[in-house]
Amino acid sequence: MESVLRARPVVAVIGGGQLARMMQESAIALGVELRPLVEDINGSTGQVAVTSRVGMPSDADALRSLVTGASVLTFEHEHIPAPVLASLQGTIPIEPRAEALLYAQDKLAMRERLSELGIPCPRWAKVEDEKALTAFAEKIGFPLVVKTPRGGYDGHGVRLVNSASEVADWFTSGPLLAEERVSYTCEVSALCARRPSGEIRSWPLAQSEQSEGVCSIVTAPAPKISSHTAERAKEIAEQIAAELKVTGVLAVEMFVVTDESGEHVLVNELAMRPHNTGHWTIDGAVTSQFEQHLRAVLDLPLGSTALKVPGSTSVMVNLLGSRYTDPALALSRALHGHPEAKIHLYGKEVRPRRKLGHVTVVHHDPHYARNEAEAVVALLRGDNHE
Ligand code: ADP
């Protein structure tokens, strides 16, 4: 039986960046109150949510004010200190739960668990010191990819190394994850959402391109892979969601490799929250990842993940940095002559290479969609602006 709500749902969310900001758009439509915990009231989310509480997650008073009277607590990033989660245990439903969130926080724990489940991953090892790393390299060969288990994002905490000494500085803070360097044909992201009662829905697979370690372009449905591989990627993501009892949106980043046995996928990492590779769903899918995340954490029935326009391709291009003091100053130029472009600006202060917004174009011609989205982003970035 479906759960029956007794009061207007209040979703408390830790984080005040663009993800909570975009959750607010969906919360407004659903009549759900979003209550974010933000570091800065003038930040991306603070600007758009009058219900914001200000403080750090480690601030007990701020946390109490955040969860009092709320229906559920969720997150826009995974870097929530364990003591914070422990302090809330039993006071409010937390979605995703700490037991699941661990696998998005700790890459070693994730590799161990996925390997136990028989999910295909790059060959990997937990290495405690340079000697262990050299021993792994003797089996696999350099170069290797070495990662800090916790706290990485956008390529920080990932190094491609040709000798163990290149990560000598990292061993001081604990064991590292060493992986074979995968020669992939492309990177894809399998996005799904799961609600506590078990319902799971997947969006069409997306393909992502990175520039300098940061996601820059996402195309959905993924154009370069076979329908068999796309189906397999979806099965893997849904298996992970079910086995780890993930709640809310789950993004499974994967490498697509082609070898003598054909095309297959290897899981790179997990994110348990709306993800950059799912921004296209706002404009391209019947239900956006932000709406679905709210529905899932509230254990409400999930929405259709079908393409809004059957047969269309969505291309999302990130706006990374701008020559304008505020990219909104370029709105008139950027909108002119690009009537299909959907611009999303995050209200963030400009810094070099910072994610300031994104543009999505949904079209039956993928090349047109990509060219248009890139052209509009170039205008917002001020490529020709003095
Ligand atoms: P982050 O937590 O910073 O997102 P990831 O583990 O996703 O770190 O790695 C960032 C990027 O580095 C990936 O998107 C991919 O391009 C590259 N990368 C990571 N692991 C490997 C690997 N084993 N082989 C090849 N490239 C990798």
Side-chain angles (χ1 to χ4, degrees):
M1 210 182 76
E2 300 300 349
S3 60
V4 178
L5 297 165
R6 291 199 174 71
R8 179 147 73 111
V10 177
V11 176
V13 52
I14 295 182
Q18 67 267 22
L19 301 178
R21 179 184 172 105
M22 290 186 271
M23 277 182 212
Q24 172 69 326
E25 294 184 60
S26 298
I28 290 169
L30 286 172
V32 165
E33 179 182 326
L34 192 80
R35 188 192 290 167
L37 179 65
V38 305
E39 280 173 40
D40 175 3
I41 197 67
N42 298 313
S44 191
T45 305
Q47 293 163 18
V48 300
V50 288
T51 44
S52 294
R53 306 291 195 266
V54 182
M56 301 292 288
S58 53
D59 172 346
D61 289 339
L63 212 55
R64 195 167 324 107
S65 145
L66 177 73
V67 301
T68 302
S71 324
V72 61
L73 173 69
T74 189
F75 318 96
E76 69 148 20
H77 60 81
E78 292 94 357
H79 306 303
I80 314 294
V84 169
L85 292 174
S87 73
L88 293 169
Q89 227 27 273
T91 62
I92 182 172
I94 302 176
E95 311 290 359
R97 289 156 212 189
E99 304 83 84
L101 196 63
L102 168 70
Y103 303 108
Q105 293 173 322
D106 187 320
K107 291 178 182 174
L108 271 171
M110 177 268 292
R111 280 278 175 263
E112 274 160 16
R113 188 81 178 95
L114 296 189
S115 299
E116 272 168 29
L117 293 171
I119 306 256
C121 293
R123 285 176 292 171
W124 66 277
K126 175 180 177 176
V127 291
E128 309 267 356
D129 51 28
E130 288 184 49
K131 205 166 139 242
L133 181 55
T134 307
F136 180 59
E138 273 160 16
K139 278 195 269 172
I140 305 283
F142 280 115
L144 289 176
V145 178
V146 183
K147 304 181 181 183
T148 53
R150 285 178 177 261
Y153 66 97
D154 288 347
H156 299 280
V158 176
R159 277 187 202 158
L160 182 68
V161 302
N162 277 299
S163 77
S165 60
E166 289 172 50
V167 284
D169 54 326
W170 277 356
F171 281 117
T172 50
S173 40
L176 301 175
L177 170 63
E179 293 178 354
E180 67 174 303
R181 197 225 352 217
V182 177
S183 302
Y184 51 84
T185 44
C186 64
E187 290 184 81
V188 293
S189 172
L191 200 76
C192 64
R194 179 179 175 277
R195 54 190 283 220
S197 53
E199 186 190 6
I200 300 179
R201 282 186 187 246
S202 285
W203 284 270
L205 191 71
Q207 188 171 315
S208 66
E209 297 164 48
Q210 335 293 323
S211 105
E212 298 172 37
V214 180
C215 170
S216 61
I217 303 184
V218 173
T219 307
K224 281 197 196 141
I225 59 163
S226 69
S227 56
H228 176 262
T229 305
E231 191 53 35
R232 180 75 189 115
K234 175 180 151 198
E235 274 169 21
I236 290 173
E238 294 190 356
Q239 185 190 350
I240 294 172
E243 298 269 8
L244 305 187
K245 296 199 166 51
V246 178
T247 42
V249 169
L250 168 71
V252 183
E253 293 179 46
M254 304 180 190
F255 301 123
V256 178
V257 290
T258 311
D259 56 23
E260 44 310 329
S261 64
E263 186 182 71
H264 51 105
V265 288
L266 300 173
V267 171
N268 177 26
E269 70 162 344
L270 312 180
M272 294 181 197
R273 52 173 168 79
H275 191 253
N276 202 163
T277 57
H279 290 355
W280 69 272
T281 60
I282 302 173
D283 302 300
V286 174
T287 308
S288 82
Q289 61 166 348
F290 297 99
E291 176 177 347
Q292 200 82 304
H293 188 74
L294 296 175
R295 291 160 76 139
V297 299
L298 286 165
D299 204 12
L300 294 170
L302 301 180
S304 163
T305 48
L307 299 180
K308 215 183 272 182
V309 180
S312 65
T313 294
S314 297
V315 178
M316 186 245 35
V317 179
N318 272 344
L319 172 64
L320 302 170
S322 175
R323 294 170 79 170
Y324 290 97
T325 49
D326 181 339
L329 297 174
L331 274 176
S332 119
R333 277 184 184 190
L335 292 166
H336 180 76
H338 301 287
E340 285 116 348
K342 305 304 286 183
I343 296 180
H344 301 259
L345 295 177
Y346 306 152
K348 286 160 65 172
E349 237 172 69
V350 176
R351 279 193 236 128
R353 306 267 311 149
R354 191 179 198 197
K355 283 180 189 170
L356 302 172
H358 72 264
V359 174
T360 302
V361 175
V362 181
H363 204 268
H364 60 82
D365 176 356
H367 300 287
Y368 176 85
R370 186 179 178 111
N371 288 341
E372 279 295 286
E374 285 192 314
V376 173
V377 166
L379 290 164
L380 293 168
R381 205 166 43 221
D383 285 4
N384 300 314
H385 175 65
E386 289 313 314

